[in-house]
Amino acid sequence: MAESAVIEIQGLVKSFKGHLGLGRKVAVSGLDLSVGRGEIFGLLGPNGAGKTTTLKAMIGLLAPDAGSVRLFGRPPSDVTARARIGFLPENPYFYDYLTAAEFLDFYGRLHGFDRGERKRRVESTLRKVGLGTGPKQALRKFSKGMVQRLGLAQAILHDPDLVILDEPMSGLDPIGRREVRDLILSLRDGGKTVFFSSHILQDAELICDRVGIVVEGKLRHLGVLDQMIRSAPRWFEVAVRGEVPAPWNREVASASGEKVMVKVPDVEDLGRLLAAVSDSGAE
């Protein structure tokens, strides 16, 4: 592990009791990971791959069966390490009778800020996440996207060195997703480390320095996403409108309305298919 690593995970294993308490289901299996200072790291994988379990083990909400996690060189239970972390859970839920400003003021009290400092931080953080000076209605009237923005606000209110976000783009419209990406980039520009999970490649492709791809609790790939996706594709899928020329009419994978999806194995076959489609008058 690098000396400058903010997050160090070694041999992390976590399992849960199976259905009706029978057997055990392994959620994370022997995960090794190191994230450096000032890095945006994306933990990617399908739903159920073990991303949320990993994040919860990182911050001490779950105790691992085996392995270790260290944040800033300390265990997750260490108070000084926790004070440097901001966390957004996958499905945040807050005191729904408060307004956004009241809610963040409450968090400011937990961090020990005085009244003037709380007011300054609340106003600037609400603007940062696109909530202006703070909607006046109670949180129970917020849309899912607004709750997500507020969750981001509480995660960064105390200016943490490490921000951990579980599916931060969830529930956001395209403009909101762009604003969150810009916010994450600004955190890195300010020297912060950002660790987030997602099952959407585009989120990571635009902003991550490195990614890790987990499948069934195991880290399958680690590195720069651009380099990963430059590897030779296993096949191409082509949507054809009109009659599919032979012999590719035998390779139809699916059909929807006027469009037919054709699967071809390599670049050469792709070129021949596109030329044949053009010659036949299809699109």
Side-chain angles (χ1 to χ4, degrees), residues 145-187:
M146 292 172 70
V147 170
Q148 196 74 1
R149 289 169 186 264
L150 187 61
L152 282 165
Q154 66 81 24
I156 64 174
L157 178 71
H158 57 298
D159 193 29
D161 295 315
L162 169 62
V163 182
I164 300 173
L165 310 172
D166 196 356
E167 300 283 356
M169 314 292 187
S170 175
L172 296 176
D173 57 27
I175 294 176
R177 296 172 78 88
R178 186 199 66 202
E179 290 174 346
V180 170
R181 289 197 299 264
D182 290 345
L183 174 60
I184 291 175
L185 289 170
S186 71
L187 290 172

Side-chain angles (χ1 to χ4, degrees), residues 17-279:
K17 286 183 179 179
H19 183 57
L20 300 179
L22 300 175
R24 296 191 71 83
K25 174 178 172 54
V26 178
V28 181
S29 179
L31 185 69
D32 292 319
L33 196 59
S34 176
V35 179
R37 196 177 308 276
E39 184 176 10
I40 299 177
F41 186 92
L43 189 66
L44 311 180
N47 292 328
K51 302 187 300 296
T52 295
T53 300
T54 299
L55 265 63
K56 287 183 176 180
M58 282 170 50
I59 61 175
L61 291 178
L62 291 175
D65 299 340
S68 66
V69 178
R70 298 189 75 80
L71 306 175
F72 306 102
R74 300 172 179 270
S77 59
D78 186 89
V79 174
T80 57
R82 285 190 172 188
R84 301 173 66 183
I85 299 170
F87 175 60
L88 171 67
E90 181 178 7
N91 297 302
Y93 181 82
F94 308 123
Y95 297 120
D96 62 3
Y97 53 85
L98 298 176
T99 66
E102 289 169 342
F103 168 74
L104 289 183
D105 183 77
F106 167 69
Y107 265 77
R109 288 172 183 263
L110 292 178
H111 286 289
F113 300 135
D114 62 35
R115 183 175 181 179
E117 180 67 7
R118 292 199 308 271
K119 179 177 172 59
R120 183 187 69 79
R121 285 178 180 263
V122 167
E123 290 177 352
S124 66
T125 305
L126 285 170
R127 285 194 297 270
K128 235 180 231 186
V129 299
L131 288 176
T133 56
K136 303 304 179 186
Q137 72 263 37
L139 300 188
R140 67 172 65 94
K141 298 181 180 179
F142 274 29
S143 67
K144 183 177 181 182
M146 292 172 70
V147 170
Q148 196 74 1
R149 289 169 186 264
L150 187 61
L152 282 165
Q154 66 81 24
I156 64 174
L157 178 71
H158 57 298
D159 193 29
D161 295 315
L162 169 62
V163 182
I164 300 173
L165 310 172
D166 196 356
E167 300 283 356
M169 314 292 187
S170 175
L172 296 176
D173 57 27
I175 294 176
R177 296 172 78 88
R178 186 199 66 202
E179 290 174 346
V180 170
R181 289 197 299 264
D182 290 345
L183 174 60
I184 291 175
L185 289 170
S186 71
L187 290 172
R188 181 185 61 185
D189 293 343
K192 313 300 184 185
T193 302
V194 181
F195 187 106
F196 76 90
S197 69
S198 180
H199 59 272
I200 302 173
L201 283 174
Q202 186 183 22
D203 291 345
E205 189 175 4
L206 293 172
I207 60 175
C208 284
D209 298 304
R210 287 190 307 141
V211 301
I213 298 178
V214 290
V215 181
E216 297 180 346
K218 296 182 179 179
L219 187 65
R220 297 293 179 88
H221 301 283
L222 177 65
V224 180
L225 187 58
D226 281 349
Q227 295 174 355
M228 291 184 190
I229 62 179
R230 281 182 196 146
S231 60
R234 289 182 289 174
W235 67 77
F236 296 89
E237 288 183 338
V238 182
V240 180
R241 182 182 287 112
E243 185 176 350
V244 179
W248 293 279
N249 51 7
R250 298 195 300 267
E251 307 297 331
V252 172
S254 63
S256 176
E258 297 179 354
K259 289 183 180 179
V260 175
M261 192 70 72
V262 181
K263 189 173 177 179
V264 294
D266 53 48
V267 174
E268 290 75 15
D269 207 30
L270 174 64
R272 289 191 289 269
L273 169 62
L274 295 178
V277 167
S278 178
D279 292 342

